[in-house]
Amino acid sequence: MARADRPYGSNSGGAAVTLGSYRRQQSGLALVMVMWLVAAMSLMVASVVYVARMDVKQQQLDQEMIRAGALFDKAMRLSMRQFKIDTAENNASKQIAQQYFLEHNSSELKVEIYPASGLIHLGSLTPELLIAVLQFGVGVEEGDLASFVELIGGGFSSAAIDDEFLDLPNRFRALEDLLLIPGITVDRYELLKDYFYIGQSGAPGVNPAAAPRELLSILAEGDETVVDEFLMLREEALNSGDGNVIPHAQFSTGMLSSADSSVYRVDVSLAADKYAFKQRYWISMMQSREGVPWRVQSKEPVRSVGR
């Protein structure tokens, strides 16, 4: 009789509520799955679009680099011709670093010509010069220099190197040999490359008349004021035509050289609206087979540089 007092359909009504709740849960789960699927598809489409955009940008960059390479070749030839004209009556000025500027559309090309005597001959590298480059050029902290001094103090001998390291050569023959020095990372090596040249012969030390700014900073032990003063004096000597460039009194005399060279490093750079490129040539002042009064020994690929 107690069950007769219970409202009709109460059990079925309770079951209906439970079933409706279950159906709502299933609908919510399906909605979540659909949302996840849409999100995954959106991410996939975004990835495809991103890759496509990167491909387009890379193709544009490659095309710009090809155009820049052709432009750099022309700028190098024009500058070398002008360099020959400018130095025809003054042999001394052939050993002074010089710059030329050429207009291209709304941009300006910069051509820097450095006699190799203003760089460090890799085969004549001294421990003193390498330590100076590491400290003032690469930025090795003074506290870390002690290990380098001990390591290469014996003229690059392997006496101070643990057995786990390769022996250092008594004479470096390729720039990559610098990576044999423990502590020279790839990043440091990339910085070191701008200070050296490879040749059959060369004198130890740096000729400041021919040196780029980064080498002058080494000679001045990082004092940029001294570098600025010397650059002004060098420019005056170049304009005067006498070619007599006296090293700054505060340059480290143990790293100086008065040697000259018939090999030149030529750097051509262009800063456009969207891109900045640079290319490096190594030129010998020997007549080429085509009759041009210089010969391109090698040229590095065009590279993109930071703006």
Side-chain angles (χ1 to χ4, degrees):
M1 294 297 297
R3 295 182 59 185
D5 296 333
R6 187 173 298 174
Y8 177 77
S10 60
N11 287 339
S12 61
V17 171
T18 302
L19 181 59
S21 215
Y22 173 76
R23 287 175 177 172
R24 285 194 297 272
Q25 290 176 3
Q26 291 298 309
S27 298
L29 181 60
L31 180 60
V32 170
M33 293 179 66
V34 170
M35 292 177 64
W36 273 105
L37 181 61
V38 171
M41 293 295 294
S42 300
L43 183 60
M44 184 181 300
V45 171
S47 299
V48 172
V49 171
Y50 175 79
V51 171
R53 287 178 177 175
M54 290 300 101
D55 287 342
V56 171
K57 289 184 177 181
Q58 185 62 51
Q59 291 177 6
Q60 292 175 343
L61 179 61
D62 292 342
Q63 293 174 357
E64 291 294 333
M65 292 178 73
I66 293 172
R67 283 192 284 266
L71 187 61
F72 287 169
D73 286 347
K74 181 178 179 180
M76 180 274 293
R77 291 193 298 268
L78 290 173
S79 298
M80 289 303 300
R81 184 178 67 179
Q82 189 61 45
F83 177 76
K84 290 287 291 184
I85 295 173
D86 292 342
T87 59
E89 299 179 356
N90 188 351
N91 290 329
S93 62
K94 294 180 181 179
Q95 298 304 314
I96 302 179
Q98 300 190 37
Q99 295 181 353
Y100 296 92
F101 298 91
L102 297 88
E103 295 292 335
H104 174 69
N105 295 334
S106 59
S107 303
E108 184 178 64
L109 289 107
K110 181 180 180 182
V111 182
E112 302 168 279
I113 302 177
Y114 299 107
S117 57
L119 305 171
I120 301 173
H121 182 250
L122 189 66
S124 303
L125 178 62
T126 64
E128 293 76 18
L129 264 175
L130 181 56
I131 291 297
V133 171
L134 290 172
Q135 182 176 5
F136 302 110
V138 180
V140 175
E141 296 294 335
E142 190 170 355
D144 297 332
L145 280 176
S147 59
F148 283 100
V149 172
E150 181 181 0
L151 181 63
I152 64 180
F156 305 118
S157 70
S158 59
I161 307 178
D162 295 336
D163 293 337
E164 60 182 296
F165 295 119
L166 294 175
D167 291 349
L168 290 182
N170 291 325
R171 182 175 182 270
F172 292 98
R173 301 182 183 277
L175 286 177
E176 291 77 10
D177 286 346
L178 296 172
L179 288 168
L180 296 175
I181 303 175
I184 300 299
T185 62
V186 174
D187 290 339
R188 285 175 172 173
Y189 168 74
E190 290 298 321
L191 294 174
L192 282 171
K193 289 195 301 184
D194 282 345
Y195 296 96
F196 301 97
Y197 80 98
I198 303 172
Q200 293 182 349
S201 62
V206 175
N207 184 348
R213 185 183 184 97
E214 59 265 23
L215 261 297
L216 295 176
S217 182
I218 302 299
L219 299 179
E221 297 183 346
D223 191 334
E224 297 302 321
T225 302
V226 171
V227 175
D228 291 334
E229 292 175 355
F230 177 77
L231 285 174
M232 292 180 60
L233 294 174
R234 188 169 75 177
E235 185 68 20
E236 292 175 0
L238 181 62
N239 294 334
S240 66
D242 61 9
N244 185 21
V245 182
I246 300 175
H248 197 285
Q250 295 187 41
F251 283 165
S252 178
T253 57
M255 295 186 289
L256 295 180
S257 169
S258 58
D260 55 12
S261 175
S262 61
V263 177
Y264 293 79
R265 190 186 86 184
V266 180
D267 293 336
V268 187
S269 56
L270 169 67
D273 294 336
K274 295 182 179 180
Y275 305 105
F277 299 115
K278 186 174 184 178
Q279 188 167 22
R280 176 165 294 171
Y281 301 79
W282 293 94
I283 308 293
S284 172
M285 285 303 179
M286 296 178 59
Q287 184 169 318
S288 68
R289 295 178 180 177
E290 296 79 16
V292 179
W294 63 79
R295 181 179 301 174
V296 179
Q297 290 186 332
S298 65
K299 68 177 181 178
E300 300 175 8
V302 177
R303 68 179 187 273
S304 178
V305 294
R307 294 298 307 274

